């Protein structure tokens, strides 16, 4: 079955990252020459889920009273097997809203419309 689902681009969700079981921190590490590095598990991308996110990400309030996220980058890099050197860290803050980690229920985005208002999702 092939269906196109609308994507609400203006949808805003007030939530603290790291407080929901659907939160995932996607971590990629690069060297200074932009080479994608494998972490200690032999994978290029690490997915840190709840409750482990709280080990590296903290909700803090700045001097102006605005809530922000603080990230312990050194602790995060060390947990991935990077101890010395100069690294570029790419973090994506993701919410698992569709699909599942079960192989039978996993989905992937096949296509994003040119207007970026619709996506096609397949199992």
């Amino acid at each position: 079955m092939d269906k196109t689902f609308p994507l609400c681009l203006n949808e805003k969700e007030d939530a603290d990252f790291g407080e929901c079981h659907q939160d995932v921190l996607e971590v990629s590490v690069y060297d200074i020459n932009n080479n994608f590095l494998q972490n200690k598990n032999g994978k290029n991308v690490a997915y840190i889920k709840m409750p482990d996110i709280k080990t590296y990400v903290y909700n803090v309030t700045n001097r102006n009273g605005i809530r922000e996220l603080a990230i312990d980058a050194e602790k995060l890099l060390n947990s991935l097997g990077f101890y010395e050197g100069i690294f570029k860290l790419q973090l994506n803050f993701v919410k698992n809203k569709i699909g599942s980690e079960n192989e039978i229920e996993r989905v992937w985005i096949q296509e994003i419309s040119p207007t970026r208002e619709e996506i096609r999702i397949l199992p």
Side-chain angles (χ1 to χ4, degrees):
M1 185 151 89
D2 189 26
K3 291 193 174 198
T4 302
F5 297 93
L7 176 66
C8 299
L9 295 177
N10 295 327
E11 183 178 324
K12 193 174 189 180
E13 185 174 319
D14 290 330
D16 291 328
F17 184 81
E19 298 295 324
C20 176
H21 72 280
Q22 295 176 326
D23 292 343
V24 178
L25 182 61
E26 183 182 77
V27 183
S28 301
V29 181
Y30 299 85
D31 66 13
I32 59 173
N33 296 317
N34 291 325
N35 295 312
F36 211 8
L37 302 176
Q38 289 184 346
N39 62 43
K40 69 180 181 182
N41 296 327
K43 299 184 179 184
N44 288 337
V45 180
Y47 296 96
I48 301 170
K49 300 173 187 162
M50 287 299 292
D52 298 329
I53 289 173
K54 292 180 180 264
T55 305
Y56 313 104
V57 178
Y58 312 95
N59 288 306
V60 296
T61 303
N62 69 18
R63 287 185 267 198
N64 298 324
I66 298 170
R67 291 181 54 101
E68 297 178 335
L69 289 178
I71 300 164
D72 190 335
E74 181 179 10
K75 186 186 253 186
L76 181 57
L77 284 166
N78 289 345
S79 73
L80 296 173
F82 301 101
Y83 299 99
E84 293 183 15
I86 300 173
F87 303 105
K88 294 179 183 180
L89 192 58
Q90 178 181 329
L91 303 173
N92 293 315
F93 301 88
V94 181
K95 275 203 186 297
N96 282 333
K97 290 224 171 187
I98 59 171
S100 165
E101 290 191 35
N102 180 322
E103 294 226 6
I104 296 171
E105 297 174 350
R106 283 188 190 166
V107 296
W108 60 281
I109 297 173
Q110 180 192 36
E111 182 180 353
I112 300 174
S113 71
T115 62
R116 302 193 66 77
E117 293 181 358
E118 298 177 334
I119 60 173
R120 178 170 293 155
I121 300 172
L122 296 175

